Amino acid sequence: MAAPGGTLALDISARATGWAYAGADGEPVYGLWLMPGIADLGRVYAALRNQMEDAFEVHVPHRVVFVPALHAQQTSARALLGLCAVAEMTCWDSDKKPYEVHESTVRKAVLGRGSFGERENGKIIKGTGTTQAKAAAIAWCESRGWSPQSH
């Protein structure tokens, strides 16, 4: 077995995640974790988490390296995808069915319309709908006696 304090490297995939661990003594060990695929996203997230936690106990790495799914400059997108992944994993852990619903669908169901953007020549002007949609949502809440402080 490789010495603790080294690097765990991951080649992350939803079907088979390759891993290699090089301990402080430089002696590598490696393998493949079979993953459940993407049919249930929460399950695949939990499977990777469980495999990583097991590897942490066995190898005690100092660092973990992997190739990101998105470029480092896309921090907001990475954060939002990660947060959605945590939500789906938590649902899977708790045996709850997660549902993704686009905000325009919710707006249409609650506020009567999904789009609030200003139009020019029949097309929505980019960036004009957010302020109006938030104002309509807050007004809807206030009409029911709720006082939201923010979106």
Side-chain angles (χ1 to χ4, degrees), residues 65-91:
V65 297
F66 60 92
V67 176
L70 297 171
H71 295 289
Q73 297 88 345
Q74 296 172 311
T75 304
S76 294
R78 289 182 66 199
L80 291 173
L81 288 171
L83 291 170
C84 288
V86 169
E88 290 178 282
M89 180 176 61
T90 304
C91 286

Side-chain angles (χ1 to χ4, degrees), residues 76-151:
S76 294
R78 289 182 66 199
L80 291 173
L81 288 171
L83 291 170
C84 288
V86 169
E88 290 178 282
M89 180 176 61
T90 304
C91 286
W92 187 84
D93 286 346
S94 302
D95 199 28
K96 308 284 186 238
K97 174 77 173 143
Y99 296 92
E100 292 181 359
V101 182
H102 194 275
E103 61 191 10
S104 64
T105 302
V106 175
R107 287 179 186 153
K108 185 165 178 78
V110 174
L111 304 173
R113 63 183 207 192
S115 175
F116 286 81
E118 296 175 19
R119 295 182 181 272
E120 185 175 282
N121 298 326
K123 295 184 180 181
I124 294 177
I125 301 169
K126 185 176 178 165
T128 61
T130 302
T131 303
Q132 292 91 331
K134 286 185 180 185
I138 288 173
W140 183 86
C141 290
E142 289 173 344
S143 74
R144 283 152 179 78
W146 306 328
S147 301
Q149 300 300 309
S150 177
H151 69 291

